Amino acid sequence: MTIGILTSGGDAPGMNAAIRSVTRSAISRGWKVIGIRRGYQGLIEGDMYELGARDVSDILHRGGTMLYSARSKEFTTMAGLEKAKKNLDNAGIEALVVIGGDGTYRGALDLSRLGVKCIGLPGTIDNDIVCTEYTIGFDTAQNTALEMLDKLKDTEMSHNRCSVVEVMGRNAGHIGVNVAAATGAIDCLTVEIPFDLDDICRKIVEQKNAGKTHFELIVCEGIVNKDFTSDDIAKYIEEKTGVTSRATVLGHVQRGGSPTCFDRVMALKMGYYAVELIANGYSNRIVAVKNNKLVDYEINEALNMQKGYDEKLHSVLRVLSI
Ligand code: F6P
C-alpha cells in the first residue's frame, strides 16, 4: 500500500504532529508514504518525495507544516485536477490523506469523483469546519491570542485605556468568544451574534463612572472590512466614551508557534485514525470529533452540516463583564 499526504490552506500548529502520526502509523503497517509539498499545487506539479520514519523526527513540537501549504487556483480547474490525478497514479499513490479546512475537503471531494481515495483531517486555527467540534491548531491559536491579550492588558491598565483587539477566525467567532471570556472583555463582536456599538459604549461609560479603569473589546475579523476597521471601532469608542482606545490586529502570529499538548495529542489520534480508516478499506471520509470522540463522515455529508456557535458562553461573558 502506498499513501500520499499533504497539508493545504492556512497552516495550523499541530499539522506536523498529524504528518508524523499518519507517516509512522502507515510505515508501521509496512506501507510506503509519499509527502506532497505545497498542498494541491505541489500535487499538480509533482512535488513529492518518500517519507521515512526519521523524516518526521523532531517536528512534533514545531508549528507550521514541514510539507508547506498553499491555496491553489489551478486545482479548481478540470485541467489542474487531471494533472493531480495523473501524478498520483504515476507515484502509485492508492489513498491520499489531506489536512486542512473546508477548501481542502472540497478539493478531496473533486479528487474522489475522479476515483481517488481520500481521507481528510481537520486542520485550521479557525475551528470552523462544520462537521467537527474541534480542529487541529485551534487550541494553540486561542492560547496565543490569549497570551497577547494578557500583555495588552498590562499596558491598557497602566494607561486607563480600552484595547480593541482583532482576532482571526475568518467568518467564525470561535477564537473570539473563547478569548473574550477568558480575558474578561466587555464583549466580542462577531457575525454570529448581533451587536450594537452604541450599547457597548454606554456600558463602558457606566462602568467607567462606577470606577472601572480599563477595557478590552474583542473584534472577530469576520465583521471588519476596509470601510469598517478595528481602528474605526477604537476611534468611535474613544469619541463616544472619552476612554482613550487603541486597536491591535493580532494577525498571523495566531497561526504560528509550538502546538499545545492538546493540539499535539488530537493530531496524533486523528492521524492514527485516518490510517485505520484506509486500512479498513474506507475512503472519502473526514475524521471529526463528536461528543469528545473521534468519528468520521462522508465528505459530502460533512460539508453540508451546520456548525454551532457557543451562544451560551457569549451571554455569560456579557453578564460577567459588569
Ligand atoms: O483559515 C486560517 C486563517 O488564518 C483565517 O483565520 C484567516 O482569515 C485566513 O486564514 C488568512 O489567510 P491568509 O494567510 O491567506 O492571509
Side-chain angles (χ1 to χ4, degrees):
M1 174 65 123
T2 299
I3 66 166
I5 178 165
L6 61 79
T7 49
S8 164
D11 64 335
M15 280 184 164
N16 278 328
I19 294 167
R20 174 180 179 271
S21 175
V22 169
T23 303
R24 291 194 176 172
S25 303
I27 288 174
S28 68
R29 289 177 183 269
W31 300 357
K32 188 170 157 185
V33 181
I34 308 287
I36 298 153
R37 293 189 191 90
R38 293 178 295 112
Y40 293 121
Q41 190 56 38
L43 182 56
I44 288 171
E45 293 167 19
D47 188 1
M48 48 179 88
Y49 63 114
E50 186 172 348
L51 291 175
R54 295 273 71 75
D55 294 315
V56 291
S57 295
D58 277 334
I59 58 164
L60 200 46
H61 60 297
R62 293 188 203 284
T65 158
M66 65 167 274
L67 290 176
Y68 310 108
S69 194
R71 294 190 172 105
S72 172
K73 279 225 172 73
E74 194 181 351
F75 189 70
T76 59
T77 66
M78 201 55 206
L81 259 177
E82 277 166 0
K83 274 191 210 164
K85 165 84 166 89
K86 202 166 148 218
N87 285 335
L88 285 168
D89 290 344
N90 289 344
I93 294 173
E94 295 154 90
L96 180 66
V97 178
V98 299
I99 309 172
D102 278 355
T104 307
Y105 296 163
R106 270 186 283 276
L109 190 61
D110 290 341
L111 275 178
S112 72
R113 290 187 175 128
L114 297 183
V116 179
K117 293 177 178 163
C118 294
I119 301 290
L121 293 186
T124 164
I125 63 161
D126 304 334
N127 202 22
D128 63 346
I129 298 178
V130 288
C131 67
T132 184
E133 288 161 7
Y134 179 75
T135 60
I136 296 165
F138 173 61
D139 188 55
T140 308
Q142 64 176 359
N143 279 298
T144 301
L146 190 60
E147 197 186 326
M148 299 301 134
L149 277 159
D150 289 346
K151 291 182 198 296
L152 285 167
K153 208 188 253 288
D154 291 342
T155 163
E156 112 217 344
M157 193 206 70
S158 307
H159 288 266
N160 293 354
R161 282 178 176 166
C162 172
S163 287
V164 173
V165 185
E166 184 180 318
V167 299
M168 274 189 167
R170 203 176 288 277
N171 291 314
H174 307 296
I175 294 179
V177 70
N178 277 6
V179 298
T183 196
I186 192 137
D187 210 334
C188 169
L189 309 190
T190 182
V191 292
E192 291 94 339
I193 301 282
F195 61 85
D196 178 343
L197 211 43
D198 288 325
D199 271 351
I200 293 170
C201 289
R202 271 193 288 277
K203 207 170 162 186
I204 290 176
V205 170
E206 262 171 42
Q207 294 186 7
K208 185 175 84 165
N209 293 340
K212 188 167 164 65
T213 57
H214 58 97
F215 305 85
E216 299 96 33
L217 176 66
I218 304 301
V219 172
C220 298
E221 66 169 334
I223 67 136
V224 296
N225 55 52
K226 66 176 178 32
D227 301 317
F228 183 64
T229 65
S230 292
D231 247 335
D232 296 332
I233 296 172
K235 280 186 190 125
Y236 190 82
I237 290 174
E238 185 164 318
E239 243 172 63
K240 290 270 168 173
T241 65
V243 177
T244 307
S245 302
R246 294 281 188 273
T248 305
V249 179
L250 295 185
H252 287 80
V253 71
Q254 294 158 100
R255 286 235 298 256
S258 184
T260 58
C261 182
F262 191 76
D263 268 328
R264 294 183 206 188
V265 171
M266 287 307 293
L268 296 178
K269 285 184 178 172
M270 286 182 172
Y272 187 83
Y273 189 100
V275 171
E276 273 186 329
L277 283 177
I278 297 170
N280 291 324
Y282 290 99
S283 66
N284 311 324
R285 314 284 301 173
I286 287 175
V287 179
V289 178
K290 190 179 177 201
N291 299 329
N292 281 325
K293 288 213 165 69
L294 289 188
V295 293
D296 53 281
Y297 296 104
E298 199 258 317
I299 297 180
N300 214 11
E301 178 195 3
L303 286 173
N304 289 313
M305 292 166 92
Q306 287 292 320
K307 176 119 184 168
Y309 170 78
D310 200 342
E311 289 184 22
K312 178 77 186 177
L313 179 63
H314 202 123
S315 319
V316 170
L317 86 86
R318 281 180 170 169
V319 169
L320 298 183
S321 66
I322 48 175

